[in-house]
Amino acid sequence: MKNIIFIGGIHGVGKGIICNEIALKTNLIHLSASQILKWEEISDSDNKLVKNITSTQDRLIKGLKNLIKKDKKYLLDGHFCLLNSNEVPSRIDEETFDLINPKVIAIVIDDIEKIAKRLEIRDRRIYETKVLNQLQLMETEYAKYLSNKYSIPYIEIQDGNYTQLMEII
């Protein structure tokens, strides 16, 4: 696809807010993996656990192929890792990223305690900070790995500061 900037991060970290802000300042179109997946059709709204990560990602790729236009540029917010049905952080298959073929990989990182509070308010559920921390660390390492694999820029967005990403855009 090569016209996608992939912005990852754990649930509740603020990917959507940052992507919306960037889209307003640029000609990029913001897409959310959850919206493309039609998450509400395949899971309860408060459920962040994924029964079958591979089939979910296949659905994402199919949705992207139907949406992406060659003459447009996109911000896709999604995940590098997800909580499987046993609440264990798990990497998304590399093949998914091979097919997305991002031109930049960015990851949004924030304080785990802040994220846990946001998720508790949003989902009306308490997530273990230990699991969230493990998930965020796994996402960061995987994002770095993918950036290196594809020889594309890797950007960390912390404290809502996406200046470095804007310079690349």
Side-chain angles (χ1 to χ4, degrees), residues 47-78:
N47 181 13
K48 301 301 178 200
L49 306 179
V50 182
K51 291 177 186 163
N52 186 322
I53 291 175
T54 300
S55 69
T56 303
Q57 297 312 300
D58 290 345
R59 185 176 173 138
L60 172 65
I61 294 301
K62 184 178 179 185
L64 283 171
K65 285 180 179 177
N66 290 328
L67 284 171
I68 299 296
K69 309 286 185 235
K70 289 182 182 180
D71 61 334
K72 304 282 185 192
K73 295 180 182 176
Y74 300 88
L75 287 171
L76 174 60
D77 86 62

Side-chain angles (χ1 to χ4, degrees), residues 25-167:
K25 296 176 181 180
T26 65
N27 63 345
L28 297 170
I29 299 166
H30 173 211
L31 300 173
S32 166
S34 294
Q35 291 171 330
I36 294 167
L37 287 166
K38 297 183 176 156
W39 187 249
E40 69 282 355
E41 291 179 7
I42 58 175
S43 180
D44 297 330
S45 62
D46 63 343
N47 181 13
K48 301 301 178 200
L49 306 179
V50 182
K51 291 177 186 163
N52 186 322
I53 291 175
T54 300
S55 69
T56 303
Q57 297 312 300
D58 290 345
R59 185 176 173 138
L60 172 65
I61 294 301
K62 184 178 179 185
L64 283 171
K65 285 180 179 177
N66 290 328
L67 284 171
I68 299 296
K69 309 286 185 235
K70 289 182 182 180
D71 61 334
K72 304 282 185 192
K73 295 180 182 176
Y74 300 88
L75 287 171
L76 174 60
D77 86 62
H79 304 278
F80 296 104
C81 304
L82 292 165
L83 293 176
N84 68 21
S85 57
N86 297 318
E87 295 196 43
V88 175
S90 303
R91 286 181 168 191
I92 289 174
D93 297 335
E94 275 185 52
E95 184 181 352
T96 298
F97 295 99
D98 292 344
L99 294 168
I100 291 172
N101 192 19
K103 69 178 194 172
V104 175
I105 284 183
I107 186 162
V108 182
I109 300 169
D110 205 348
D111 177 74
I112 292 299
E113 296 293 332
K114 285 184 196 175
I115 295 168
K117 286 179 181 157
R118 278 187 221 131
L119 287 171
E120 184 177 348
I121 291 166
R122 186 183 80 186
D123 298 347
R124 293 177 299 277
R125 176 178 172 210
I126 296 173
Y127 290 86
E128 287 186 47
T129 55
K130 180 181 174 185
V131 173
L132 292 176
N133 189 55
Q134 182 183 7
L135 185 59
Q136 183 163 260
L137 289 171
M138 184 183 278
E139 284 231 344
T140 303
E141 290 306 311
Y142 194 33
K144 288 177 186 176
Y145 164 80
L146 291 169
S147 167
N148 187 49
K149 175 183 176 180
Y150 303 127
S151 300
I152 58 174
Y154 166 82
I155 296 171
E156 286 185 8
I157 300 170
Q158 294 185 28
D159 301 318
N161 183 349
Y162 50 86
T163 306
Q164 188 180 7
L165 180 57
M166 289 297 286
E167 289 170 1

